[in-house]
Amino acid sequence: MSAAPSLVVEDLVVEFAKPRSLADMVTGTHPPTVRAVDGVSLTVAAGQTLGLVGESGSGKSTIGKAILGLNRPARGSIRFEGKAFAERDPAGQAEFRRRVQMVFQDPYSSLNPRLRIGSAIAEVLRFHGIVPEQEIAGEVLRLLSLVGLPGAMVERRPRELSGGQRQRAGLARALAVRPTFLVLDEPVAALDVSIQAQVLNLLGDLRRELGLTMLFVAHELGVVRHMSDRLAVMYLGQIMESGPSDAVFRDPRHPYTRALLSAVPKMTTVKRQRAAVTQGEIPSPLNIPSGCRFRTRCPMAQPVCETVPPEVTVGPGHVARCHFAATPINP
Amino acid sequence: MAAVAEERQTTRRNPLLRELGSWSSSLKCGAAITLLIVLAAVFAPWIAPYDPNAQDFEALLMPPGWPHLFGTDSLGRDIFSRVLYGARIDLVIGFFTTYVPMTYGVVLGAYAGYKGGWFDAVLMRIIDVAMAFPFLVLIIVILAILGPGIQNIYISVFILAWTMYARLARAEMLVERTKDYMTAVKVLGFPQRRIILRHGLPNVINSSIVFSASDFVLNILLVSGLSFLGLGVQPPLPEWGAMIAEGRDFIRDAWWMATMPGFAILATGVGLALIGDGLAQRLGERHHTTV
Amino acid sequence: MTQPLLAIEDLTVGFHTPHGSVLANKHLTLTVAAGETLGIVGESGSGKSVLCRAILRLLPSPPAEITAKSLAFAGRDLLKLKPAEMRKIRGQDIAMVFQNPMTSLNPVWPIGDQVSEGLRIHRGLGRAAARQVAIDILKRVGIPSAALRVDDYPYQWSGGMMQRAVIAMAMTGQPKLLLADEPTTALDVTIQDQILSLLMELQRETGMAIILVSHDMSVVSETCDRVAVMYAGSIVELGVAADILSAPLHPYTWSLLRSIPHLDAPTGRLATIGGQPPDLARLEPGCPFAPRCPVASAECRALPIALKTLPGDRATACHFPERVAQLDQRAAS
Ligand SMILES: Nc1ncnc2c1ncn2[C@@H]1O[C@H](COP(=O)(O)OP(=O)(O)OP(=O)(O)O)[C@@H](O)[C@H]1O
Ligand SMILES: Nc1ncnc2c1ncn2[C@@H]1O[C@H](COP(=O)(O)OP(=O)(O)OP(=O)(O)O)[C@@H](O)[C@H]1O
Ligand code: SF4
Ligand code: SF4
Ligand SMILES: [Mg+2]
Ligand SMILES: [Mg+2]
C-alpha cells in the first residue's frame, strides 16, 4: 500500500473576500471574508482514489479547484508529484495541464454553449496532439461511447442535451487528454443508476488498467464507498474524519460522519413522516462556531466541546477530530 | 401516429427554409426591407434610369412623376437615380463605421473583462472619458483638427465608436468568465488568447450584434448630418445627407429634393431597427433555453 | 374517484433538429392527485425534464412541438390558455425547481432580490417586507447566516446553496403543484434529508401535489406515493411506489434497480445494462428497450408498445411482464 504519493496537500487555506462596496469604503469597514477551506491536509497515493464527502458548501469544490491552480490559496501547499504548480517551468505547467483534469460539478455551465459536442472534444484532441488528425473523428466517437453516449450526439449542442448527457460529455472531454490524475466533482450526480454504474465501472477500469489517480467528490455515500480507497469527510472547511474507506464506513468515530450515514435515504415502503435526522441551524463559513465546528448540531456535544478538539488517531491511518473519538459507539 | 409522421415530414424540409420559418415577424420585415435596399445599391447601375450626376437643364426641379420618379433637383439631376447610388455610399459608410470599431471594441472589451487588473482599469477609464462627452461634439472636434472629408470621418469614428462595444462585451465577459466552461478550457491548458477569442468571444458578442443594428442607422445619420454641415461627403457625390443639405434651400418650391433621400434614410433605419429588435429576441432566446 | 389535479393525456413532445425529429416524450398519459407525490425515474435523457417543462409550457417552439389530447390542470386545459393566463399559473399554482440550480439563477442579480421578486409579484409585498420574508425562507431551507448572505451573487454560493435558494423561490408562491426536477442531487445527505422532510411537511400542511424527478430510488421510496418509470421518451411502468421498487414488472425497471451501488455491501463491478440507449430521432417501431433487453424476442421488435393496465393499480409497457420472473431466476443462478 505504500505507493508514492501522487498528490500532497498541506494545511490548505482558501479564502474568498467579498469585493468592497462603495458604502464599505465610505464607512471604512472591511467586508467579511469566507474561509471556504480552513487548514486541510490530504494525500492521495498514486493509483488510488480518495473520496471526499461532506456538507454542501463545506469547500469540496474549492479544494478541487485549488488542486488545479484555479484559485489562489491564502496559505498551504499543493504538490503534484512533488512539485507545486508555481515551481514548474512553462513546459512543466503545460504537462500538468494535460495530466491533471477536472470534471466540473455543474454540467450545465461546463460546456461551451456554442460548440457542438463533437467539436468541443475534437478541439482538445487536436490541441494536445493526442491522436493524428485523421483519427480524431474516430477517437471522438470512441470517447463518447466510453461514457455511454450514442454517436449522434457529436452534432448536438449542449442545450440539446439532458443534464446527464452533458455530464458525460464533460467526462469524455476530460478523458480525451488521457490524464493521470482526475478531480471528479460529482461526476455521476445527474446520471440514472444504470448509466452511473457504467461510468463507475469505466472509472474503475481506467484505474486498474492505467493507474488513474482520482479525487472523487460525491454526495451519494453508496457511490463513494464503491469508488474510494480512502475517505475524507468535510464539514465547514475542515476534514472531520479521514481514513481507509472501509474503516470509516464500518466504524465512524465522528458524530458528523455518523449523522451523514444515518441521513442516507433507505428503501422503504412507507412515505416519510419523520422530521430530519440532524436538527439545528447550519453555521456558515462567515461565522464559524468556536471550539468544535460541529458543536451547534452535534447530538453528543458537551461543555468541553467549546475547546478545539484534537485529531485523534483511532486506527491505522484513521483519524477523527472529536473529543470523544477514542471510544467507539455503536448506534 | 399520424401527427408523428407529419412531424417527421416537416423536419425533412430544407434547413434554410426552416431557419427562415423560425424568424419572428419583425425579423422577417426588417430583413426584407434591408435586403431590398442592399439589392437596390448593388444593382443601382442597372436600375437607375439616369446617370446620377448628369445635369439636364431642360428639367430643373421637376416634381415626382414620369419619367423622373422622385423628381429632379436644382441642377436637373434625377433624384431617383441619385438616391439609388446614394445607397451605395451610405451603406458602405454605415458598414465600415459600425463593424470596424465593433471588431476591435469587442475584442478589447472581452480581454478587459476576462483579465481584469490594470488593463481593465486603464481601458475603462479611457472609455469613461470618451463617453463623458457627446459623441457628435468629439467627432466635430477631431474633424476640426484633421479637416473635413469622408476619410477623416472614418478616422474619427474609429477612434471613438469602439467604446460602446468594449463596454458591452466586457460586461458580458464578467459574467461568462465565472462559468465552468471557461474554467474547463483553462484546465485543459489552452492559452489565454484562445480561451478569450474562441471560447469567450462568441458568447459575449450577442448584445454587440444587437446594438450594431441600431448603431448602423445612427452612423448613417451621423455621416449624413456631417455632410449636411459640410464636413462629410462633398458634393456632387449623391450621399443622402448631402442631398438633403442641397435640398434645404428649395424646401418651399421643391419639397421632394430633401424628402426623397430623407425617406431612404428612414427606410434603412426602420429596416435595421426591426432586425435589431428581432435579433435581440432571437439571440436572447437561444442563449437562455437550457432544458 | 375525485378529479385529479393534473391529468395528462397522450402528450407528445418533439424537437426539430437537422437530423430529424427527436421525440423526447411519446404518448404520455398520467394523472396526479392533490396531496400526492408522483416520482419519475428513468434513463438519463429519457424526457423527464422535458415533461416538466412541457407541463409549464416552457419549451420554446420551435424547436419544440407539443401535441396532446389534453393537459388539464385543475380542470383547465393548459394548452388552451392564453400566455397571460399561463403566466399567472406559473409560480402561483404550479412552481418548478429546475434541475440546474446554477442556470436557474440570474448571475448578475443578488440572490436575495431574486427570491423577493416572486414575493413582490405573487404576494404583493413591499420591498422591505419581501426582503425579510426572503431571508426567512432562505433560513427555512437551511442557508446559514441568511441575513448576511442575501446580497451575494450566485457564483459566490456553492452548488448546494444555490439549489436551496431555488427551492426557496419555488415555495414563495404557495403552489398547488410543485415540479421538482432532481431537487436534491446537488445536496449532501443531511441537507437532502432536511429538504425532503420540509417538502413532506409542506405537503401535509398545504395538500400540494409534487412531481419529483430523481435518480435516487431510496429518495423515491421515501417520498413518493406512485412512480412512473421512463425509458426513451415513454412511460414504461407506472404504479404504487412500493410495488414497483420491490417487484418491478418491466425488464428495464428490473435492470435499473440492480445497478444501485449499496452502502453496506460493496461489490467489485456494478451491474449495467449492455448496449446503448436508443437515438430518440430514430426510434424503431416496437419496444424501445428490445435491443438491450435480456429477455427480448422477435415479437417485441414488431409490436408497438402501449401502457397496459394490470391488476393492483399498475401498468407496464412490456409485452411479456411475466418474463421478469425469468430474470430473477437467471440472476439467482
Ligand atoms: N468565488 C467565490 N466567491 C465567494 N465565495 C465562494 C466562492 N466560491 C465558493 N465560495 C464559498 O465557499 C464555500 C465552499 O464552496 P464550495 O463550492 O467549495 O462547496 P462544496 O463543498 O463544493 O459544496 P457543494 O457540495 O454544495 O457543491 C461556500 O460557502 C461558498 O459560498
Ligand atoms: N432542444 C433540444 N433539441 C434536441 N433534442 C433535445 C432538446 N432538448 C432535449 N433534447 C433531447 O430530449 C431528450 C430528453 O431530455 P430531458 O432533458 O428531458 O432528459 P431527462 O430525462 O431529464 O434526463 P436527465 O436525467 O439526464 O436530466 C434527450 O435525449 C435530449 O437529448
Ligand atoms: S467534539 Fe464535541 S461537538 Fe464536536 S463532534 Fe465531538 S462530541 Fe460533537
Ligand atoms: S417488450 Fe420484450 S423487449 Fe420490451 S421489455 Fe418486454 S420483454 Fe423486453
Ligand atoms: Mg461543490
Ligand atoms: Mg433532466
Side-chain angles (χ1 to χ4, degrees):
Chain A
M1 281 301 265
S2 59
S6 169
L7 179 82
V8 180
V9 175
E10 266 169 354
D11 194 26
L12 180 71
V13 175
V14 184
E15 288 177 341
F16 294 105
K18 271 196 191 177
R20 267 180 109 185
S21 69
L22 196 61
D24 290 331
M25 290 182 198
V26 173
T27 56
T29 51
H30 284 272
T33 50
V34 176
R35 191 169 261 214
V37 176
D38 190 4
V40 162
S41 302
L42 43 86
T43 306
V44 191
Q48 299 233 312
T49 301
L50 174 70
L52 195 56
V53 300
E55 188 84 6
S56 132
S58 62
K60 302 181 296 296
S61 301
T62 307
I63 292 181
K65 290 190 173 168
I67 290 173
L68 282 134
L70 298 173
N71 45 36
R72 192 165 295 149
R75 207 173 71 207
S77 72
I78 300 168
R79 285 161 194 283
F80 175 69
E81 295 182 346
K83 267 201 195 138
F85 186 72
E87 291 166 10
R88 292 168 186 268
D89 54 18
Q93 293 192 347
E95 198 210 41
F96 176 88
R97 283 280 173 245
R98 191 185 69 66
R99 291 188 47 211
V100 183
Q101 278 304 308
M102 177 158 182
V103 176
F104 290 85
Q105 178 170 13
D106 177 17
Y108 288 88
S109 71
S110 59
L111 297 171
N112 186 338
R114 301 238 160 205
L115 284 187
R116 294 178 197 283
I117 303 304
S119 18
I121 298 176
E123 184 190 12
V124 177
L125 292 170
R126 194 168 293 129
F127 180 79
H128 283 286
I130 306 290
V131 293
E133 182 67 34
Q134 64 274 17
E135 286 167 31
I136 284 183
E139 176 71 5
V140 169
L141 289 178
R142 190 187 70 88
L143 286 163
L144 288 181
S145 80
L146 266 186
V147 296
L149 286 176
M153 295 292 156
V154 175
E155 290 290 327
R156 298 270 191 95
R157 285 183 219 272
R159 78 186 135 81
E160 298 167 335
L161 300 187
S162 78
Q165 289 166 338
R166 288 179 217 211
Q167 203 163 39
R168 283 175 280 159
L171 178 61
R173 181 182 57 190
L175 292 178
V177 293
R178 311 196 175 156
T180 44
F181 190 100
L182 255 187
V183 175
L184 296 150
D185 198 354
E186 310 253 4
V188 292
L191 305 183
D192 71 76
V193 283
S194 81
I195 290 174
Q196 166 178 295
Q198 187 183 342
V199 168
L200 295 183
N201 285 346
L202 165 71
L203 291 173
D205 291 345
L206 291 175
R207 177 171 56 175
R208 213 167 315 111
E209 288 158 21
L210 307 175
L212 187 64
T213 314
M214 289 183 271
L215 180 71
F216 192 96
V217 181
H219 285 310
E220 221 189 295
L221 296 178
V223 170
V224 177
R225 167 140 219 206
H226 180 80
M227 285 305 293
S228 27
D229 305 295
R230 286 180 61 80
L231 186 71
V233 182
M234 283 192 76
Y235 187 79
L236 268 187
Q238 281 188 348
I239 294 181
M240 291 290 122
E241 181 163 5
S242 68
S245 176
D246 278 338
V248 177
F249 275 105
R250 204 171 356 92
D251 182 20
R253 293 298 181 92
H254 197 282
Y256 178 62
T257 315
R258 257 180 255 139
L260 271 184
L261 287 171
S262 57
V264 173
K266 318 229 168 17
M267 280 289 199
T268 64
T269 49
V270 283
K271 201 161 148 184
R272 165 185 305 215
Q273 297 282 336
R274 63 177 174 82
V277 180
T278 358
Q279 299 290 336
E281 196 186 339
I282 304 147
S284 86
L286 282 172
N287 183 15
I288 292 174
S290 63
C292 175
R293 305 180 166 223
F294 189 49
R295 181 158 73 87
T296 49
R297 293 166 77 202
C298 180
M300 292 172 44
Q302 304 290 324
V304 63
C305 301
E306 278 164 44
T307 60
V308 177
E311 278 198 339
V312 185
T313 305
V314 295
H318 183 180
V319 289
R321 202 188 282 262
C322 167
H323 286 292
F324 306 105
T327 40
I329 295 176
N330 288 321
Chain B
M1 277 282 125
V4 177
E6 210 173 51
E7 250 167 51
R8 292 252 159 110
Q9 207 70 57
T10 49
T11 56
R12 278 210 203 99
R13 266 179 9 207
N14 184 330
L16 192 68
L17 282 182
R18 192 145 28 82
E19 174 70 26
L20 277 177
S22 71
W23 286 12
S24 63
S25 46
S26 69
L27 196 51
K28 276 183 198 153
C29 283
I33 296 176
T34 312
L35 185 72
L36 210 70
I37 297 171
V38 170
L39 287 177
V42 171
F43 295 106
W46 291 274
I47 308 173
Y50 296 90
D51 179 334
N53 291 322
Q55 305 182 353
D56 180 356
F57 293 101
E58 316 255 289
L60 298 182
L61 298 177
M62 296 261 286
W66 193 255
H68 297 286
L69 275 181
F70 287 4
T72 60
D73 67 4
S74 54
L75 297 174
R77 294 173 297 192
D78 179 51
I79 294 182
F80 180 64
S81 307
R82 285 180 71 75
V83 166
L84 283 177
Y85 275 92
R88 296 188 135 194
I89 299 179
D90 280 85
L91 289 185
V92 168
I93 291 178
F95 183 84
F96 282 112
T97 50
T98 307
Y99 291 104
V100 173
M102 173 172 151
T103 312
Y104 52 85
V106 166
V107 170
L108 282 173
Y111 262 92
Y114 187 81
K115 291 177 77 111
W118 67 266
F119 181 72
D120 183 36
V122 170
L123 195 79
M124 285 319 283
R125 289 303 79 75
I126 295 176
I127 293 177
D128 284 345
V129 171
M131 289 178 91
F133 298 97
F135 191 57
L136 189 64
V137 172
L138 282 180
I139 297 266
I140 292 179
V141 167
I142 299 178
L143 285 180
I145 300 169
L146 299 177
I150 188 66
Q151 218 145 356
N152 291 340
I153 292 187
Y154 278 134
I155 295 177
S156 53
V157 170
F158 290 172
I159 294 177
L160 293 170
W162 58 274
T163 47
M164 193 61 207
Y165 294 103
R167 189 168 260 209
L168 286 171
R170 172 184 177 270
E172 291 215 11
M173 185 59 107
L174 284 180
V175 174
E176 248 8 70
R177 74 161 182 204
T178 64
K179 297 197 178 157
D180 282 339
Y181 74 90
M182 292 292 278
T183 323
V185 283
K186 194 167 159 192
V187 167
L188 284 161
F190 290 4
Q192 198 171 53
R193 213 179 62 185
R194 188 188 185 101
I195 297 179
I196 297 173
L197 296 184
R198 185 166 149 78
H199 293 267
L201 207 56
N203 291 299
V204 301
I205 208 166
N206 277 357
S207 53
S208 295
I209 291 179
V210 170
F211 178 71
S212 75
S214 46
D215 196 31
F216 201 112
V217 188
L218 291 177
N219 283 333
I220 292 182
L221 287 176
L222 172 81
V223 176
S224 296
L226 289 173
S227 304
F228 181 86
L229 294 176
L231 294 170
V233 178
Q234 306 296 323
L237 280 181
E239 198 279 331
W240 292 339
M243 288 167 69
I244 297 178
E246 289 170 67
R248 182 183 43 168
D249 299 336
F250 299 90
I251 196 76
R252 278 171 186 281
D253 314 310
W255 53 268
W256 54 90
M257 261 184 82
T259 315
M260 291 304 173
F263 270 134
I265 294 182
L266 189 70
T268 316
V270 169
L272 288 168
L274 286 173
I275 290 187
D277 220 41
L279 275 182
Q281 262 177 25
R282 188 165 170 75
L283 295 177
E285 217 170 68
R286 279 267 163 108
H287 212 62
H288 295 291
T289 46
T290 41
V291 174
Chain C
M1 214 178 128
T2 53
Q3 186 193 30
L5 182 67
L6 178 76
I8 299 174
E9 212 185 327
D10 202 15
L11 170 74
T12 296
V13 180
F15 289 101
H16 294 305
T17 72
H19 308 281
S21 178
V22 170
L23 282 180
N25 281 177
K26 249 182 97 181
H27 305 292
L28 301 189
T29 297
L30 53 85
T31 59
V32 184
E36 176 186 60
T37 314
L38 173 75
I40 301 187
V41 300
E43 206 215 0
S44 158
S46 61
K48 305 180 295 292
S49 305
V50 167
L51 170 61
C52 293
R53 284 182 179 251
I55 293 172
L56 272 183
R57 287 192 29 209
L58 286 176
L59 294 168
S61 132
E65 190 161 316
I66 306 178
T67 51
K69 272 217 194 85
S70 86
L71 194 66
F73 174 75
R76 301 163 78 189
D77 193 340
L78 295 182
L79 287 180
K80 299 214 176 80
L81 293 186
K82 294 198 188 71
E85 294 171 318
M86 197 61 220
R87 272 198 294 280
K88 274 193 78 180
I89 288 209
R90 278 184 212 134
Q92 288 257 52
D93 292 327
I94 309 182
M96 175 153 179
V97 175
F98 293 96
Q99 185 174 1
N100 44 333
M102 288 78 167
T103 35
S104 31
L105 292 172
N106 185 334
V108 297
W109 259 25
I111 291 165
D113 289 2
Q114 303 189 42
V115 178
S116 44
E117 192 190 20
L119 293 164
R120 291 169 62 189
I121 294 172
H122 296 308
R123 292 202 209 163
L125 296 181
R127 187 176 278 275
R131 185 184 161 87
Q132 195 47 51
V133 176
I135 293 175
D136 291 342
I137 297 180
L138 287 173
K139 271 197 196 133
R140 187 138 190 222
V141 293
I143 296 293
S145 308
L148 270 177
R149 302 199 72 172
V150 279
D151 298 319
D152 281 359
Y153 290 90
Y155 76 92
Q156 293 171 312
W157 284 24
S158 80
M161 293 164 73
M162 282 192 258
Q163 184 63 301
R164 280 177 272 165
V166 172
I167 293 173
M169 281 163 70
M171 298 317 301
T172 55
Q174 293 163 334
K176 294 197 188 71
L177 172 64
L178 178 69
L179 306 174
D181 193 356
E182 305 191 27
T184 59
T185 23
L187 305 177
D188 72 89
V189 282
T190 60
I191 307 287
Q192 164 170 291
D193 189 60
Q194 284 183 5
I195 296 281
L196 294 180
S197 285
L198 174 69
L199 283 181
M200 292 298 102
E201 189 187 317
L202 287 169
Q203 184 173 53
R204 281 194 300 272
E205 272 169 27
T206 64
M208 119 183 123
I210 303 178
I211 292 185
L212 183 95
V213 178
S214 178
H215 288 307
D216 190 327
M217 300 295 168
S218 316
V219 166
V220 169
S221 81
E222 283 201 17
T223 54
C224 297
D225 302 287
R226 290 191 308 134
V227 181
V229 183
M230 289 189 67
Y231 185 81
S234 306
I235 292 181
V236 294
E237 190 165 4
L238 181 67
V240 175
D243 298 346
I244 290 196
L245 296 177
S246 60
L249 283 179
H250 192 287
Y252 174 66
T253 320
W254 182 88
S255 318
L256 201 58
L257 290 168
R258 249 179 31 118
S259 306
I260 304 173
H262 284 284
L263 193 53
D264 15 78
T267 44
R269 242 181 128 68
L270 296 165
T272 56
I273 307 176
Q276 293 275 335
D279 181 354
L280 297 184
R282 268 184 284 276
L283 282 179
E284 311 283 327
C287 175
F289 191 53
R292 310 171 74 187
C293 178
V295 289
S297 58
E299 298 100 301
C300 301
R301 292 194 182 81
L303 296 171
I305 59 158
L307 212 52
K308 34 174 204 201
T309 320
L310 301 176
D313 189 20
R314 52 190 303 188
T316 176
C318 178
H319 296 306
F320 308 103
E322 62 282 0
R323 290 187 186 167
V324 175
Q326 291 175 22
L327 285 169
D328 279 329
Q329 285 162 14
R330 256 193 242 175
S333 65

